[in-house]
Amino acid sequence: MLGHINPEALAGTRDLHAPVAYVQTPVTAKPKSLCKAILSFYDAPFHVKLDLPELIRLVADCLHDHGTKVLILDDITRLRMHRADDQDTLDLIRAFMSMHVTLVLVGVNIQTSGLLREGLRDAATGQWTLASASARRVNGLEATQTERRFDLVELGPFRYGSPADIAAWIRHLTGVENALRLLDARPGMLSTGTMPEYLFERTGGVVGLLERLIEDGCREAMDCGQEHLTEALLDTIAIDLDGSPARDAGAGEVPPVPSRKRATAKRGRNTVFDDRGPAGKAG
């Protein structure tokens, strides 16, 4: 409605309306590097020699001027609580809460990373419950300050064991294929036929593996002039995450890659069940 323009922007200020900001946690995180990563999202100019209070003030100004209400920090488990710089960075993240923005922290295996301390799943609610605070302090702040301020929501990989699971996987594939810009991209290229099951077998429903397979497949499709994706083309692509500079293996960002072995018999992609059993299937 607003054409990405902040209606409350003052003359002479940046007017891009960005209600949600997405930032990756730096691999070697420090308070200054995190501030600079946030400022880079907004393409905001800053001097490399600014001190931390000045950088924090610039971050607060960007959040306000762009109308940002949600700040997403991905790969948060790159923070290691045995390092002083990482403890300082977590303290800064907590300080962002005073800037009238909702924080969403995304990471792999957060419940055992030390960010919230190890917790147990409550079977009744499905939520993670965290042990009472110890006397340990981090830079003068109680460790419980983090666990009290965040709700932990666990998201697993996509599944392929029920019609509802399959439908969710296909909806995701449909969104992916709609964003591809291959010259000969075809409707249903990823979401019809046996392709959804094939992609699940190759990736185990892990979004990061799917992203790498599709990205490398698109590059190959362009290089060979085919300009669309097929199982035969993707069969030539090996998913290899080793040595990727954008992934921190120590933070759980390099998931295991499923075996290339294919099942000898394929089941129907979208079998529909009712109370009397299988009601039909489509290839």
Side-chain angles (χ1 to χ4, degrees):
M1 292 176 60
L2 301 174
H4 302 291
I5 302 299
N6 183 2
E8 299 178 359
L10 300 177
T13 64
R14 300 176 65 84
D15 60 358
L16 176 65
H17 187 53
V20 178
Y22 171 87
V23 178
Q24 277 193 306
T25 304
V27 174
T28 304
K30 296 181 180 181
K32 280 189 174 182
S33 65
L34 180 60
C35 286
K36 292 176 181 178
I38 295 172
L39 293 173
S40 295
F41 170 83
Y42 296 105
D43 196 24
F46 59 88
H47 196 282
V48 294
K49 293 185 179 180
L50 289 179
D51 59 22
L52 182 58
E54 291 172 318
L55 288 170
I56 293 175
R57 185 167 60 252
L58 283 178
V59 169
D61 289 344
C62 280
L63 293 173
H64 177 269
D65 293 345
H66 293 271
T68 300
K69 301 302 181 184
V70 177
L71 174 59
I72 301 174
L73 297 178
D74 201 355
D75 300 324
I76 195 63
T77 43
R78 291 176 174 178
L79 297 182
R80 304 287 197 280
M81 292 300 95
H82 66 278
R83 297 193 297 231
D85 285 336
D86 295 45
Q87 295 172 17
D88 291 339
T89 303
L90 184 59
D91 289 346
L92 174 63
I93 291 172
R94 287 194 290 258
F96 286 157
M97 295 180 184
S98 64
M99 299 179 184
H100 306 290
V101 63
T102 298
L103 292 179
V104 178
L105 310 183
V106 182
V108 178
N109 204 15
I110 288 178
Q111 64 271 20
T112 59
S113 68
L115 291 172
L116 302 175
R117 299 203 324 273
E118 185 171 358
L120 299 174
R121 180 185 290 280
D122 187 324
T125 65
Q127 297 293 316
W128 286 88
T129 57
L130 301 159
S132 59
S134 66
R136 182 174 64 85
R137 291 175 177 270
V138 178
N139 290 351
L141 298 175
E142 293 184 7
T144 52
Q145 286 192 359
T146 302
E147 65 192 38
R148 284 201 303 260
R149 296 183 187 187
F150 288 92
D151 291 326
L152 183 62
V153 179
E154 186 179 26
L155 300 175
F158 283 95
R159 303 182 185 279
Y160 211 84
S162 72
D165 293 337
I166 296 171
W169 176 243
I170 292 175
R171 283 196 300 270
H172 181 72
L173 294 179
T174 300
V176 172
E177 71 183 16
N178 288 341
L180 298 181
R181 292 298 178 263
L182 294 172
L183 294 178
D184 194 25
R186 301 167 184 178
M189 183 173 60
L190 303 181
S191 57
T192 60
T194 59
M195 183 63 90
E197 184 174 1
Y198 170 82
L199 292 173
F200 187 84
E201 290 172 352
R202 290 293 308 275
T203 66
V206 177
V207 172
L209 297 181
L210 176 69
E211 176 186 4
R212 173 55 63 88
L213 178 61
I214 297 302
E215 180 180 322
D216 291 349
C218 287
R219 186 177 294 110
E220 176 63 23
M222 290 185 287
D223 288 344
C224 72
Q226 179 171 307
E227 292 290 345
H228 67 274
L229 298 178
T230 64
E231 292 183 31
L233 183 143
L234 293 176
D235 269 336
T236 68
I237 306 296
I239 303 175
D240 183 10
L241 303 179
D242 294 337
S244 174
R247 296 177 182 269
D248 183 358
E253 296 172 19
V254 182
V257 179
S259 169
R260 293 288 299 277
K261 184 178 180 180
R262 297 288 306 278
T264 55
K266 284 183 173 289
R267 52 186 168 80
R269 171 180 60 81
N270 54 348
T271 302
V272 179
F273 294 90
D274 62 15
D275 292 339
R276 297 165 294 177
K281 64 176 65 178

